[in-house]
Structure formats: C-alpha cells, structure tokens
C-alpha cells in the first residue's frame, strides 16, 4: 500500500516568509510525528499527535512553529517568519498505534535564504 | 520523561567484523525499543525492534539484546558488509505517552 507522503519535497523561501509543509500518513495510522533533521545530525522531535488526544507540542522550538492534524489524517506544519536556522529536512512519520513501528516519509528539504 | 543515550557516535570496522551499538534509557517502564537505519540522503527505516517481555531477538545478521535491569539495549551486526554503512538510531518508548525518544545516532562505516 501507499506509504507516508510529504509535500513539497523541496522548498526554498526567503527569510521572513511563512511556509506550510504537508504530511499524508498511512491510512488508519493513529499516531503522527514531526521531526527536524539538520545536515549530519540526529532526529529532533517537534510534535506528536495520537488519536483524539491533545498533541504533544513539547519539541516545538519557538512559537513560530505550529502544526495541526485534520480529521485524524493529514497534518500540516507551519513555520511563520522563517529564519535561516530553520533550514533542515522536516520528516513526518506515522504508526498504527502507540509504541509501534514508525514509517517515515521522504521529508521536505527547507532552505531559507 | 525518557532520556536515551547512544554510544559510540561513530564506529569504523573492517568488512566481515562485528559491530555493536549500545543505548541506555532512563524510564524503567519503557516497553518498546526499535532500531532504525538511515542511509545517506534517505529516510530512516526500521531494521529490528524488541519489546520488554523479550531479552533477545535475531534477524539474519542483526540482533538486539535488552537488559531491563540495567536499562540498556544493544544492536549487534555480524559479518558486516559495506552496505551496512549508515547512521543507526535507537529509540525507546516513553511510558507516559508511548512517544518514541530517539538516541543521537551512530555513524557506522564498514571498510572493504
């Protein structure tokens, strides 16, 4: 079946502009995660959605970052007033339930100029 | 909350040798421990996982061991091949939320 998809695959934006990144999880997966990965670095947790529970936003680095998940499926990560340090690959992952294998999307490479 | 530490950060071995990567965790109630492999420019993919009711699990050249008393788990790769070269991440589930907490990663290089 279809895996996790993300769009766009690449995004170049000017400093100060807002961007929206989209994640389509595997159908039926109740858990959805967003991570950020800078070049050569590890997986920085951003936000976690699980079913109808309130999202765990503890990893969001500033109030410029927000995310929502509509209808328990598609998620969008919004970065307002982008800064150069926001440049990274943003990865989305979904899993069928709590504490199960996460399937990662291909990521969105964000470059802020 | 859960904290996961991973060692070493880099590992270089000769083809055919074994490689071992170790992780420690802080939440004694954690019950799920996956390992992910990330090749250059690609997304992380699960290679093996273990739950807290099992001490060891093997899949061909890959094995994971779990010591709940000491709160550590390890990835063992035998007969390493150049295609094993990648970054490996361990993770542990946080008991309060079941959120996965990742280690910082180990860059493995297998030299022919």
């Amino acid at each position: 079946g279809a895996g996790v998809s993300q769009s766009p695959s690449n995004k170049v934006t000017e400093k100060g502009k807002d961007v929206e990144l989209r994640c389509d999880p595997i159908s039926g997966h109740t858990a959805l995660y967003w991570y950020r990965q800078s070049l050569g670095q590890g997986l920085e947790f951003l936000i976690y959605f699980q079913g109808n529970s309130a999202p765990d936003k503890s990893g969001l680095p500033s109030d410029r970052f927000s995310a929502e998940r509509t209808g328990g499926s598609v998620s969008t990560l919004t970065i307002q007033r982008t800064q150069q340090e926001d440049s990274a690959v943003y990865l989305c992952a979904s899993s069928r339930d709590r504490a199960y294998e996460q399937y990662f999307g291909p990521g969105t490479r964000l470059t802020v100029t | 909350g859960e904290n996961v530490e991973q060692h070493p950060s880099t590992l270089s071995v000769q083809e055919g040798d074994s490689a071992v990567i170790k992780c420690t965790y802080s939440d004694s109630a954690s019950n799920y421990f996956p390992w992910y492999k990330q090749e250059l420019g690609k997304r992380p993919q699960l290679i093996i996982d273990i739950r807290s009711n099992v001490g060891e699990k093997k899949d061909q050249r890959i094995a994971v061991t779990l010591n709940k008393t000491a709160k550590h788990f390890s990835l063992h790769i035998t007969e390493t091949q150049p295609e094993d070269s990648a970054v490996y991440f361990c993770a542990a589930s946080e008991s309060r939320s079941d959120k996965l907490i990742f280690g910082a990663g180990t860059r493995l290089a297998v030299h022919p």
Side-chain angles (χ1 to χ4, degrees):
Chain A
V4 178
S5 60
Q6 292 185 245
S7 60
S9 55
N10 280 284
K11 176 72 177 178
V12 180
T13 190
E14 292 181 352
K15 177 182 171 180
K17 296 285 179 71
D18 298 352
V19 295
E20 275 193 1
L21 311 181
R22 177 186 169 106
C23 172
D24 283 85
I26 293 173
S27 178
H29 279 196
T30 62
L32 187 148
Y33 299 75
W34 282 98
Y35 298 94
R36 179 168 70 175
Q37 189 171 38
S38 299
L39 190 62
Q41 301 301 307
L43 299 165
E44 178 187 3
F45 165 77
L46 297 177
I47 189 167
Y48 164 48
F49 296 90
Q50 172 57 50
N52 295 320
S53 303
D56 179 343
K57 304 179 182 180
S58 60
L60 295 178
S62 77
D63 59 8
R64 296 186 295 104
F65 288 72
S66 63
E68 62 177 23
R69 188 178 185 192
T70 53
S73 181
V74 172
S75 177
T76 54
L77 176 69
T78 301
I79 308 173
Q80 295 179 310
R81 306 181 301 282
T82 51
Q83 305 293 312
Q84 287 187 328
E85 60 263 29
D86 298 335
S87 296
V89 174
Y90 289 81
L91 289 162
C92 172
S94 71
S95 67
R96 66 181 177 96
D97 205 339
R98 300 171 178 270
Y100 277 89
E101 174 181 1
Q102 288 187 21
Y103 294 83
F104 284 82
T108 292
R109 182 175 300 279
L110 175 66
T111 303
V112 182
T113 61
Chain B
E2 175 75 281
N3 183 49
V4 177
E5 294 190 356
Q6 184 171 347
H7 300 280
S9 57
T10 60
L11 181 58
S12 182
V13 299
Q14 290 296 124
E15 183 177 0
D17 287 351
S18 294
V20 180
I21 303 170
K22 298 181 180 180
C23 288
T24 60
Y25 60 98
S26 59
D27 183 349
S28 57
S30 289
N31 62 11
Y32 179 59
F33 308 90
W35 285 88
Y36 286 81
K37 175 183 180 182
Q38 187 177 29
E39 297 177 10
L40 191 62
K42 298 192 175 179
R43 72 190 82 180
Q45 290 195 302
L46 182 80
I47 54 171
I48 195 167
D49 56 7
I50 193 169
R51 295 200 177 266
S52 59
N53 57 347
V54 176
E56 182 176 3
K57 184 175 178 180
K58 293 180 79 170
D59 183 3
Q60 299 183 335
R61 296 186 296 108
I62 293 172
V64 57
T65 58
L66 171 65
N67 183 326
K68 288 191 293 182
T69 303
K71 290 189 287 187
H72 67 71
F73 56 112
S74 300
L75 177 71
H76 305 254
I77 306 174
T78 58
E79 300 171 27
T80 53
Q81 300 168 3
E83 52 264 41
D84 294 329
S85 296
V87 178
Y88 291 81
F89 293 98
C90 66
S93 61
E94 185 180 70
S95 59
R96 180 176 56 85
S97 66
D98 285 323
K99 178 175 73 180
L100 284 186
I101 307 299
F102 281 86
T106 296
R107 186 172 301 277
L108 173 66
V110 180
H111 301 286

